[in-house]
Structures are given as structure tokens and as C-alpha cells.
Amino acid sequence: MGWGNIYKRRLKVFTLAFLIYLDYKALQHREKLTKKSKRDGLWEKAHERNARRVLKLIVELEGLWVKLGQYLSTRADVLPESYIRLLKQLQDSLPPRDLKEVCSTIEKQLGQSMNDLFKNFVSVPLATASIAQVHRATLHDGQEVVVKVQHEGIKTIILEDLKNAKSIVDWIAWAEPQYDFNPMIDEWIREAPKELDFDHEAENTRKVSTNLDYRREGLDKKPEHVEVLIPKVIQSTEKVLVLEYMDGIRLNDSRALEELGVDKQKIVEEITRAYAHQIYVDGFFNGDPHPGNFLVSREPPHRPILLDFGLTKLLSSSVKHALAKMFLAAAEGDHVALLSAFAEMGLKLRLDMPEQAMEITNVFFRATTPASEALETVKSLSEQREKNMKIIQEKMKLNKKEVKRFNPIDAFPGDVVIFSRVLNLLRGLSSSMNVRINYLSVMRPFAESVLKSDMNHGPSSNPKWVYDGPVHSDVEAKLRRFLVELGNANRILGIQVCAYKDGQVIIDTAAGVLGKYDPRPVQPDSLFPVFSVSKGVTAGMTHWLVDKGKLKLDEAVANIWPGFGANGKDQIKVNHILNHTAGLHNALAGIAEEDPMLFCDWDECLKRIALVAPETEPGREQLYHYLSYGWLCGGIIEHASGKSFQDILEEAFVRPLNVEGELYIGIPPGVESRLATLTLDLSDLNMSIPKPSIIPSSFTFDKISALIPLSNTLNVRRAILPAANGHFSARAVARYYAALVDGGVVPPRHSSSSLPPLGSHPHRPTFPSKKTSTSRKDRRKKDSSGPTTPNSDLYIRIPESEDTIDEVETKIFDAPKEKLHDAFLGIGDYKDLTFTNGRFGLGFKLVRTVDGSVIGFGGSGLGGSTAYCDINNRFAIGVTLNKLSFGALTGEIIRFICSELDLPVPEDYAVSRIVIN
């Protein structure tokens, strides 16, 4: 191709692109002056007019533009019918090349004459495409074959067309910045030239055929097996490919498919499954699934025949895992896993909007729609995009011009480009065949299989299953061996255990992986959802305010919290809240039925809790306030302090205990990569567990288990739920209880060899400021001597130098240890503030032995995470895990440690439970 022809092609392409752009822009203005009844007609004519222009130029230019036309012809889900109808001609019916040219290429490439090569060669091609055309032939041994012959000079044309396409994309990105397709064209420039080497295609064909061979022994028994046919490779060179002939019907031959009784739904589902296998299981997939590359076998059972493996993509193991994780995160609404998958595949966003990221991903994996619904689909997607851009505009405070030029994606990985193209082509294929494919159900087994098969859950296959941290004691060494046994028995997914004895760390162990579909190892600073273990920290915050003189335990809540006394709550006191005797045990339980996401609205829940009516007289009956406890205590804390709940948590415990980044109630943005993902251990959860008398009527297994999946969503994890939304590391919560058992004295830091170091995270949570009530303003004036910002210190910082750690004793409470313990337990001077022989003290669950003796206090969470301290033995422990059960595993670990240390075992963990495997 001479330079003259090159410039002519370029001029034609740019001229048409500009003409179509102006045509649609003019129509947008003309539409405003046209009656609504005639607008659809105007658009239909414009689509028909421009589709014909595009088709005419593509047929004239051939090359890469045919590929583009083929792609567009499959997008019946989003493109007007005119484009689909006209561009379908490009799938296999381009004007054929001269037979002399074809024969010349074959003889040059194979080194023999046509007569020596073939017994018979059909001169009329079966199909003519952008790069090559295919002829049917018979070898001298009688085998029926097809011969794929590359067009002469096509390589030069393709490479030039790629440059032109790049220029057009650059122009579009300049004119309409929100439509920056540079990552897509850059990846295409890298991959498309590979199609020009048929030796490469032959090798790809063999590889995919081996990967998808359903006839291999045992493969057909797996849910991820597929039943597709792929022609065998007979011979190949750079420009000629000889393949086994397979008698099939083209997907666009609707009449033939109907005559043979082919189930189109089943065919497209099987094609989709074949691609799911290639992407998620093999990590090696065909990047060009347009209708011309598929046939349906004539002989029953009718199976899809996959053709043309010139454009393929090889994924690294990490990207393959990330794509599988992204898919499953979308399927389960797991924002944390989604953002983690984005990070692992190199997709970077310019702003923190997890809800919109999930929404877009769900659109990406949405079920397909028939071509007849294309207009509605486009309209819906356009409306959703406008809605998202408005949210972005508000969040980023952009004006209209700025939002038009704003691209929320900072980096788009090349590996994802071909993957996206394949999914869009499959979607278009489904639409053109008028079938509906639910990607989330069809592809899920494949995404799950790759993560399950490649994850080393158990220590037997993973020597680094236990985190390689320092061993603090013989007990810890024995515990690690015990955890390995439990891990090999598939009892543990991910776990952390930390314990203090006599003010020193004796155990700090992490093991397993962060989630069922997250193979990253658990580390000491990983954050686990601990549910009601959060209550013990919330209770401590309330006592901290009492200790600072901001609150009294026997004070009426209505005196602290204006409006709380409504509907008969004027007699409820702070001690009633802490002791679970306020009569509000079922308060706000109906939110789950109304809208579970209301849990995330802190101010709304505080308003509602202030208006509910008690069911029993305060102090008369102890019933577990499993949800309402958090808002009740949280409201008291905020109104008594004049500060936000988060500020008090930081001020009272996080900074003085030096557990920055490892103790949150409501996580801030930026810690998602350290979050463990919860999964259910149904073997234990399905057991029939007796319901204690203190459990209220609204607390049922069905209701609570229905909420558990929500705990993996990012909006819930970011919410302030002081009763059930703690995200702690075991070493942070164990350190908290180690301080409480010693009356608030902060224990020495962990060993410097513990990596990452405790408190080493520089991140500070930043949350939206709350509106301050009049009473809070008054209290702020009254308490003006104290700090009013979260960065003010009410305590002595632990010195940074390890040499001086033991020289300074830091306390988080001023009261004597014995008085504090009496307050926590509700005994001595505080006996009258608690329910006689109840299960709770003032905010903490009482830890009893089998004989009924109270040995300490703490709190356990739904699913097995726990933390408590043994006062007499100066022992404190925290256990966090992500495989939820009713505590059978936790009990075994607690009993093991107590036995090794010769400590009394808490009643809740003294009896071994039967676990059904």
C-alpha cells in the first residue's frame, strides 16, 4: 500500500467520523423544535442514514474497520436496529478475494501445488472476513477440511487502521472527555496484530480445545464442565490454516435452527459457559466472540462449534483471581471485595464512591435483554449514567463544564479491556438471538471454582498458613500447632488470637485467609467484624465519661438527651441501658423489614430510638438489647460529651492504647484492604441451640442470619453501629481488656518484631460532622476546659522510644482499679444498679465459671468472635474469626489456652459442642 492510499484511507475515515458527529449534533438541536410525535421518526432516519454510510465505507476499506463493524453488529442490546440490520452483513459475507490470489498464497505458504495439496478445492468461499477467507477442501486421504487464507497485503492495512483508530479515539477524548476509550484502543493495538499470524492461531486453537475438552475423564462430573466442539488443527503457516471441517449451522440462520429444533437459549448459555471457563478457570480466552465465529452442529445433541482463535488473551493468575473476585463481589453485593478486586487488577478510581462502583459493576454483569428491548436498555443506562454523574458532581463539587470533562477512572488495566469486550460481545450475541442470559447464575460456578481450587485454605497445603510472627510463649507455640490441626480439619478459615497474662503479651497469632474467596493471608493488623464484642468497647466509653465527670450511672437519660423521655421513657436511667433492663430490647427491630439500610443512618436511628416506648418497666426485667443497645449508649455518649461517638472512641481508647488503625466502630475509607470477609459455617449454625431466657422475641435465627450478608457490604461496615459493628484486630481488643483488668493501666507495647507494629497505621478516621443540638452546645460551653477537637489529648502519650516504655505508667481511667471493676461488674456500691443474678453487669457480660463464680467480664459476638478478661488471674484474651458459627470453635480454643495456663474456663465455653460435619 503506497503512502497515497494510506492518506486516502485516513481522510475517508476522519471525514465520515466528523460527518456523523455533525449529523447527530444537528439533530439534537433540531429535535428541540420538532413535535414529540415526530422525534422518533427523525432519529430512525438518522440511524438508517448513518448506518448505511458506515457500512459503505467499511466494505470499501475492509481491514480493521470490518472488525469494528462486526463488533457493532453484535450490540443489539444498545445500538439502534438500523445499525444491527445493516452491519450484520459484515459477519461473513464480505466480497471475496480473487481465487488466483488465494491459490497463490496457499502454494507459497505450504510449498506445494494445489493439486498436490488437495483432492478437491471449492472455489466459492464459505465465508469472507476482515483478515482472511475460508474455503472448503478435501485432502488426498479423503479428510474434509477448511482452508483459511489471509488476504494479501492485509497486515499493512490493519496496522495503518490501528493508527487511524487511535487518532479518532484521541479526538473523541478531547471533544468528549467522559468518553475516553484510550485504554481500549491501546490494548487492541497490542493484541490485534497477533491475529495476523496463523501459526499463533493454530497454537491457540489447540490450547483452548485441550482446556475445554469435556470428554476428558472426570471433567463432565464437575459443574464447570462445558460441551462445545472445536475443530482440530491439520496444518498451519503464518498465512494459511488448515482445520478439520465441521458441518454446522450459522447462528444467524434462524430458519435452519428452527427446522432442526435447536434450543437457542441452551446454545447461547453453553457458549457463555465456555467463555466463563476460558476466563475464570483457564485464564486464556478467545477475545472475538461475534456470531460469525460460531456454528451449531447439525447432529444431535446440537452443540456450539467455536471458531477463530486469532485474538486471544492470557491472564496472569493474579488478574484471573481478581476478575473472579470482582464477579462474586457483584453477585453478593460485597463492596469490600469489589474494591479489593479493583486494586488487585490495577483499576484505580479517582474518588471514593463504592456504591456507584458496585452499581456500575452490576450493570456490567447484568442479565442480557432481547434486541426488541434495546431502546429501553439504552435509555435506562443513560439515565443511570446521568444520575451517577450528578452524584459525582455533588461529591467533587464540580461545575457543569468540569463534570462533563471528569473521568472517574484514573487507571484502566489492559487485561480488563479484552475481558470487557468479550462480555459485551456475548451480551450482543444473546440479544441478537433474542434470549436472556443471567450472567450472575451462569458464570458463578466458574468464578467460584477458580478461587476455591487455587486457594490454600488449610495448613497442609500452605506452609505460611500461620502468620510468621514472633512466638511469645510456649503456650503460643502449642496453640499454633493446635490451630494447624483445626485448620487441616477445615474448621478455620481465618483467625486471630491474642492474650495477655500479668500485663504481658503471651499470644499474638494470626492464621488462615481473609475470606472464602480472598486468598490473602490473615495478618495481625487484619480487621474482623466482631458483632457484639463491640458492646464491651461502647460500655467502656460510657464508663470513661463517668470517670471524667461528664456522666452519672444513676442519671436519667432524659436529663442528658433532650427528647429521650418521650413515650414513657423518663424513668430510664443510664444504668438501665448498660444493664439491659431499660425495656427497649425490641426497639427498632422492625427496621430490618422496613429497610435494612436504615441501620446505616446514625442520626435517623437516634431520632427513632428517642421516640419509641418501653415494653417493660425499667429495672424489672433483664432482656438482651441486641441492637438498640448501640444507639442508646451512642446517644448518651454524644449528648453527654458534646462530641461525636467517633471522637470519643479515639480520645478514650484508640490513641492512648496505641491501637490506631486496628479498632473501629464503623470503618473509615481507606482500610478496605485489611478487612476480613464473613462466611457462614452452616454445620454449626444449623444446629438447634436452646434460646436463653434473656433473648427478646425479635431476636430469631432467621432474622439475624438474613442480616449477616449485609455485614459484608461496605455501607454497613462504614456505619456507626456501636452494638454490632466493631472492626477489630484481636491484638487491639485484647489490649483493651488487658488495660481494663489492670484498672485502666495501659500495658507495654507489643514486641518490636511484631509486624506490622501495633499502632503503626497513620490513618485517622474522618467522618461527616454531626449537627449539634442546643444541649450539646451548652455542654460544650460548660466543658470548655476540656479538648474540643479529636486531636486534643486527655492522656499522656506512650513514649515513642522503647527504652522508656516501662518508665511511664499511662492510665485511661482515674478511678481506683477495685472501684472500676465493681462498676463494670455491677457489684459492691453498684449492686443496686443491676438486675439480681443477671447475666450482665453495667455494660459488660459477666464471665462465670461452671459453679457460678464471677471471674471477670467481657463480650461475645454472633459467629464466635469474643473478648474477655479474668480479673483474679490478670488474664485478657481476644479471638476474632471470619467463619461464623455458634462458638464451638472458639470454645475449643479458649479451653485449650485455659488448660495450658491452668486458668478457670468460662461457663459459656466449658462444655464441648457437637459440630455436624
Side-chain angles (χ1 to χ4, degrees), residues 162-223:
L162 284 170
K163 293 179 185 177
N164 293 341
K166 172 66 174 171
S167 298
I168 291 175
V169 167
D170 286 340
W171 173 63
I172 293 173
W174 172 82
E176 305 284 343
Q178 69 272 35
Y179 298 110
D180 184 358
F181 301 114
N182 269 294
M184 291 72 168
I185 192 64
D186 290 343
E187 181 67 10
W188 206 358
I189 288 172
R190 282 191 293 268
E191 296 295 331
K194 296 177 183 178
E195 290 190 86
L196 300 169
D197 184 351
F198 288 176
D199 276 327
H200 179 73
E201 180 177 342
E203 183 56 35
N204 293 341
T205 304
R206 294 187 187 99
K207 187 171 182 178
V208 175
S209 180
T210 300
N211 291 340
L212 297 183
D213 188 0
Y214 69 91
R215 292 163 293 191
R216 280 183 293 164
E217 184 177 353
L219 190 61
D220 57 345
K221 297 178 182 177
K222 295 182 179 180

Side-chain angles (χ1 to χ4, degrees), residues 316 318-319 322-323 338-349 409-416:
S316 66
S318 60
V319 171
L323 288 174
L338 182 68
L339 296 185
S340 174
F342 284 172
E344 289 171 39
M345 69 177 67
L347 178 63
K348 297 179 181 178
L349 304 177
I409 298 177
D410 187 48
F412 199 95
D415 287 328
V416 181

Side-chain angles (χ1 to χ4, degrees), residues 262-278:
V262 174
D263 185 338
K264 292 193 293 183
Q265 176 75 30
K266 184 177 180 182
I267 290 295
V268 179
E269 278 189 8
E270 203 61 27
I271 290 173
T272 306
R273 295 179 75 253
Y275 272 83
H277 193 293
Q278 292 175 66

Side-chain angles (χ1 to χ4, degrees), residues 244-455:
E244 167 192 12
Y245 171 75
M246 286 188 167
D247 189 17
I249 310 165
R250 296 202 171 275
L251 287 182
N252 57 10
D253 192 346
S254 300
R255 180 178 296 178
L257 293 175
E258 290 176 7
E259 288 176 355
L260 288 178
V262 174
D263 185 338
K264 292 193 293 183
Q265 176 75 30
K266 184 177 180 182
I267 290 295
V268 179
E269 278 189 8
E270 203 61 27
I271 290 173
T272 306
R273 295 179 75 253
Y275 272 83
H277 193 293
Q278 292 175 66
I279 293 166
Y280 297 118
V281 179
D282 308 323
F284 184 77
F285 60 94
N286 179 5
D288 198 20
H290 67 78
N293 285 342
F294 300 103
L295 299 173
V296 179
S297 62
R298 291 182 182 275
E299 297 297 323
H302 305 292
R303 294 192 179 101
I305 302 172
L306 277 53
L307 308 172
D308 193 349
F309 295 90
L311 177 61
T312 55
K313 184 66 181 176
L314 176 64
L315 301 174
S316 66
S317 177
S318 60
V319 171
K320 185 174 72 170
H321 280 105
L323 288 174
K325 187 192 289 188
M326 177 179 72
F327 177 88
L328 293 168
E332 298 185 3
D334 188 341
H335 296 81
V336 175
L338 182 68
L339 296 185
S340 174
F342 284 172
E344 289 171 39
M345 69 177 67
L347 178 63
K348 297 179 181 178
L349 304 177
R350 287 197 171 98
L351 66 172
D352 176 47
M353 296 182 66
E355 292 82 7
Q356 278 66 44
M358 175 62 74
E359 199 170 76
I360 292 169
T361 308
N362 279 323
V363 168
F364 189 61
F365 290 116
R366 71 189 186 278
T368 65
T369 54
S372 58
E373 299 176 18
L375 188 61
E376 293 180 17
T377 302
V378 172
K379 184 178 179 181
S380 175
L381 293 176
S382 177
E383 290 174 351
Q384 188 58 56
R385 186 180 186 281
E386 288 181 12
K387 177 183 174 183
N388 288 336
M389 292 309 292
K390 284 182 181 178
I391 295 173
I392 290 173
Q393 184 175 4
E394 292 174 4
K395 188 178 182 78
M396 302 294 291
K397 298 179 180 178
L398 305 173
N399 59 39
K400 290 183 178 180
K401 185 176 181 181
E402 289 172 330
V403 77
K404 183 180 179 182
R405 304 188 70 85
F406 181 78
N407 189 332
I409 298 177
D410 187 48
F412 199 95
D415 287 328
V416 181
V417 171
I418 304 296
F419 169 75
S420 305
R421 180 176 186 268
V422 164
L423 219 60
N424 284 331
L425 281 167
L426 290 174
R427 186 180 306 285
L429 174 66
S430 302
S431 294
S432 64
M433 298 284 285
N434 282 312
V435 298
R436 296 179 187 271
I437 301 296
N438 188 327
Y439 283 139
L440 293 182
S441 62
V442 173
M443 289 186 163
R444 182 164 188 148
F446 301 91
E448 288 182 335
S449 70
V450 63
L451 291 180
K452 286 179 179 178
S453 62
D454 289 352
M455 279 181 61

Side-chain angles (χ1 to χ4, degrees), residues 37 52 63 73 115 230 246 313 322 391 468 495 514 605 617 660 671 675 683 691 693 712 737 752 792 818 845 848:
S37 59
R52 289 190 181 280
S73 73
N115 290 333
I230 298 175
M246 286 188 167
K313 184 66 181 176
I391 295 173
D468 187 21
I495 194 168
L514 285 177
C605 288
E617 182 183 339
E660 287 93 336
V671 303
L675 295 179
S683 62
K691 187 175 180 179
S693 58
N712 279 330
Y737 276 99
S752 60
S792 300
E818 291 75 16
K845 185 178 181 181
R848 288 188 169 93

